[in-house]
Structures are given as structure tokens and as C-alpha cells.
Amino acid sequence: MHFADDLIDAIRDKGSPACVGIDPMFDMFPPELRSSTPADDPRRVLDACFSFVMDVLKIVAPLVPVVKFQSAYFEQFRHEGVEAYFALIREAKDLGLMVIGDAKRGDIGSTSAAYAAGHLQDFPADDDEFATADALTINPMLGIDSIEPFVSESDELGKGLFVLVRTSNPGSADFQDVKLADGRTWSELLADTLHQRVVKHRVGASGYSSIGVVVGATQVHTIESMRKRLPNSIFLLPGYGTQGATAAMTRAAFDSRGLGAIVSASRSILYPKRAPGEDWRSAIERATITLRNELANVIAG
Amino acid sequence: MHFADDLIDAIRDKGSPACVGIDPMFDMFPPELRSSTPADDPRRVLDACFSFVMDVLKIVAPLVPVVKFQSAYFEQFRHEGVEAYFALIREAKDLGLMVIGDAKRGDIGSTSAAYAAGHLQDFPADDDEFATADALTINPMLGIDSIEPFVSESDELGKGLFVLVRTSNPGSADFQDVKLADGRTWSELLADTLHQRVVKHRVGASGYSSIGVVVGATQVHTIESMRKRLPNSIFLLPGYGTQGATAAMTRAAFDSRGLGAIVSASRSILYPKRAPGEDWRSAIERATITLRNELANVIAG
């Protein structure tokens, strides 16, 4: 078992590198689901989120290889939301989807090890209604020793990680783009250090490492620079659609075989504009197919 | 309500800036607690952690103003652990303790807002067996816009934040100590930016801001540099005891009134060396009193 090889296989099977971001945001739900749920009752709202995500998973499972669960939208509902998170990951896996847990954890030493255990180790056999993700997003700010416990755990389990390297929010420039004395940006230092110390030692048969990276697509040259520095990392490109990544930027993340990246879209898939009279499930399916087609054009182009 | 003013009041009431880190690590439990719990049964281990933390809270409540719950050691037990986290925070508050949630969250936009809601907003009135922390630790790597939703939420609720600025692990040098083109380290840029854009606009009657920082005490000059750059932030100094911070380093974080910092110790309090025949509860009480005395000497010295 090797996470990157498994993911590349899944991308080939489904014929697309599209990843659907599971961001249950009740305020953006189809009006017919919102109107039947009292917005001031957190348990009813969580129930609505649970059944919405179940439906979304069933719609997208034939169309994409992987989904990305955003932990924050579950933690918002505290422990009951976390329970839903693990139960829905189980559903996603039963539908044949790979799952990324987008929790952006990061701490030091045994604390990182506890996060890694909680988010990556299997549930006990008698808790088989729950499952953990195949890969976790992590925050590397605290240093390479802070991510090592995550790396050890994912190595042992045949799972993967996506390390935050450069995000796509406007404020990412504040601390990630600053120039170092040696001429690199801080994110470039991060990329080089990750590649040398972690990524390149975990390359599978696919040519890709079990340690991927999150790189926000905001400028073509950023993606190109990161691709050179991290030739063996699968790029998780968030924010396609809503956050405005373009085809040219996205293309720079893929190799000549059209592999090496997954492109995540959340709101543009889950909460699409609907044609007059269109069922919300059909709109989600249509939006997913549109994403598939757009990415096929990007990769071919 | 202003978090820093409340915390300074609590420090004065209890006569100490000591903070006990609530890190339930079953492997380090007193042997008499370990031997009665099957280590391979996660629910029994969680139950043991719950009752251990309950006892610890009762022992330390008369002696310290604040406790810091490490989220990872609860998330290790998945949703049931998260339920215990919020239930034990309720217990801590009922015992008159202030509570910091050490979850080191960080993301962008509405995702940060969801984390802030989950970790800081009150539970509904009919869920009064649970409570959220008075302050949360956050990771600022993604930029100032990534922390703004946390700041807005804590402003609205009269709560606080502790922003990671410089950690104390050996690997902290990898990305935090790197020199920028302008001569500052990356952490110094972070400190200056935080002070200007966030911290200084939220100073209470105590002279301190509701936005504190986490600064690992590893070198005196680091603490001194950070104190100059962040004159209005309460410093949360982790790793006292086990991680080897010395008195001189710690002293540099305090102002001339002996205020402005809290010093967190976890393992040295929860899992102290016991005198022959000594009860584990007495050992924890003794370790807490030792920490109080040491810090009193540091501040006076």
C-alpha cells in the first residue's frame, strides 16, 4: 500500500483528477432543505448537513476519485459534528472514494503523534460505522520535527499527508511570500526543505511520494516554481472555481502524463447556480461533470 | 469582559502565573491507575483519562489561575474524546479556573470562522454539561486574513487568543528562525505584524491585549526580542520543566509588576516523580506548589 500510487490509480480509474470538497455550510444549502430545518437548532442543522453530505457523496462517487472533508465545518458542531465527520468518511469509503481529511493539524513531538493517531489510525473493529481519512492535511510552521510523527504514522499505515506550502488567500503574502536573505521566499525554503528531508524518501511506483503538498493556485510562476522544487509531490490545488484559479495556473501543476495533481472544488460543486426548475441533486451532478470537463481540457491543453 | 483583564485578575487572585497543561497521556499515568484499566480498550482508557483529569482539576484549582487543555490528547479518542474535552472544560470552569484550548487551529476565511465558532462560542443552554475555552491557541502561518475570523469571534465573545509566534522545539529553527532580507527573523516579522495589525488595538485596562502569543522559552534573547516587539501581549510560555526553560529566560517575559506572562507545565505536574509511599494526588499537589514557588522566585529575582 502506497498512498500516492493508490491515488494515481483512482485518478486513472475515474478518468479525472477532480476532488470534491465536503464543506457543509447550512446557509448555502438548497432553499428546500433549509426551509424544513430550524436554523437555531444545532442538532437539526447537523442532521440536515449529514443527509446533505450523504446525498452529495452518492452523486459524486461515480465521477471523482477523491473527496476532501473540511474538518472545521464538522467541528463547528463540536463532538457530534466530529462523530458525523468519521461516519461520513466511512460512507465515502464504502462508495469507493478516497478521502482527504482537511484538518491542517500541527504541533510538536508527542502532541503531533496524538493528532496523527486520532486522525489516521483505524477505528477498532467493533466501531466499523466510522473510518479515518486516507490522508491528512498538516501545517509545517513548527518545523520538520513537528511533522515527523505524522510522517511516521502515515508511513506505517500506508497513508499520506498534504503539507501546506503556499495558500491562495490574499493574506498568504504576509508570511509565506516574504523574501529571505538567500533570495528565496519563505514558501520556497519550506518546499526545498520538505523535498530533501521528507518527500523524496517516499516515492512509490507511480513516481509520486506519499507526502503531497497544498499549493494555492494564484499565479502561474508560483505553481511552476513549486513544481520544480517538489517534483515528486502530488499537488492538492484548492479553490478551483470560487477562489478563481485559472486553467493556465492549474496546468503547470500536472506532468506530461496529465498526472501529479488533484484539483479541489467545494462551493462551486455543492452550491451551484441552478437552472430554472432544476433539482438540486441534478445541479450538483452537472457541476461535477463541468469540473471534470474543464480539467480534461486543462490537462489536454 | 476582556480576556486579558480577566486573566490578570485571576493571576492576582491566585497569586501565581502558573498554568497547568492538561495532557492526559495514559502511558504516563500512576501505575495504580494504569493497572486497573485494559490499555487495549480505548473507551476504558478514555474513562480513565476523564477521571484522572477530574482529579487533577480539583487538586490544582486552588493553586493556579488557568489550565491549558491540549486538544490532541482528546482528539486521539475521536468524537468521544472531543466530548470529554468539552465536558472537562465545563468542570474546570465550575472549579473557578480559566481555560485555554490548545488546538492550534488555522485556515482561511469562512473555514477559520467555523473553527472559531466551534471552539469559542457557547454551547446552547440545554447543553450546559459542556463549555468552550476562554481562549484558543491559533496558527498564523496562512496570514493575517486567516486569523481575522478568530479575532472577530473572540472580540464579540470577550474571549482571547494565543497566536503561535516562536515555538521551543529543536526544529523551530527550520522555518521560524530563518533570516529575512530585511535582517529580521521570520518570527520577528510575525511578531511585528501581529502587534501592528491585531494586538495593539485590543488593549484592556490591565495594559494587556486580548490577543496573546505563544513563545517557547529556549534562549533569553528570543524572549527579550519578542517582549520588545509585543509589549501588550500576554506571553504563554510552554514547556516549563520538561522542556527545560530556565528562570532567566522566563523572567524576561514578565513586566516590572511581575505580570504579562503565564508559564505552562504539563508532564512535570501531572506525572511527577513520587517520594516512596507518596500518594499520586499528593505528588501532583506538591509539584504544583513547587512550580508556584519557583515562579515566585523567578518573578522576584
Side-chain angles (χ1 to χ4, degrees), chain A residues 93-140:
Chain A
K93 288 184 156 185
D94 288 348
L95 288 162
L97 289 160
M98 292 189 75
V99 178
I100 298 166
D102 191 1
K104 299 189 175 63
R105 296 298 192 265
D107 210 296
I108 61 175
S110 51
T111 310
S112 282
Y115 276 131
H119 287 269
L120 292 172
Q121 282 181 11
D122 288 333
F123 276 79
D126 57 346
D127 271 343
D128 64 358
E129 72 271 37
F130 302 112
T132 52
D134 300 298
L136 187 71
T137 60
I138 61 170
N139 182 312

Side-chain angles (χ1 to χ4, degrees), chain A residues 33-52:
Chain A
L33 297 185
R34 269 213 317 281
S35 64
S36 59
T37 304
D40 60 351
D41 182 337
R43 284 201 178 84
R44 295 283 300 278
V45 172
L46 175 57
D47 288 346
C49 288
F50 191 95
S51 71
F52 176 72

Side-chain angles (χ1 to χ4, degrees), chain A residues 187-207:
Chain A
S187 282
E188 288 169 348
L189 162 72
L190 182 55
D192 292 342
T193 309
L194 275 174
H195 180 70
Q196 286 303 321
R197 292 179 57 184
V198 183
V199 172
K200 73 175 185 183
H201 309 296
R202 290 169 176 81
V203 177
S206 61

Side-chain angles (χ1 to χ4, degrees), chain A residues 216-254:
Chain A
T218 51
Q219 295 183 289
V220 176
H221 73 83
T222 307
I223 303 284
E224 286 170 346
S225 160
M226 289 299 169
R227 184 37 93 198
K228 278 194 202 105
R229 293 167 193 277
L230 289 155
N232 303 115
S233 284
I234 294 179
F235 279 26
L236 166 55
L237 307 173
Y240 196 85
T242 310
Q243 291 180 43
T246 69
M249 284 190 248
T250 305
R251 188 179 301 125
F254 287 92

Side-chain angles (χ1 to χ4, degrees), chain B residues 17-23 66-68 100 102 235-243 262-269 291 295:
Chain B
C19 171
V20 172
I22 303 297
D23 294 11
V66 59
V67 289
K68 177 176 82 63
I100 298 166
D102 191 0
F235 279 26
L236 166 56
L237 307 173
Y240 196 86
T242 311
Q243 290 180 43
I262 54 176
V263 178
S264 177
S266 306
R267 294 185 216 178
S268 60
I269 303 290
L291 175 63
L295 294 178

Side-chain angles (χ1 to χ4, degrees), chain A residues 173-196:
Chain A
D174 293 340
F175 309 128
Q176 298 169 50
D177 280 355
V178 285
K179 280 273 184 196
L180 307 185
D182 69 11
R184 290 179 291 180
T185 67
W186 187 80
S187 282
E188 288 169 348
L189 162 72
L190 182 55
D192 292 342
T193 309
L194 275 174
H195 180 70
Q196 286 303 321

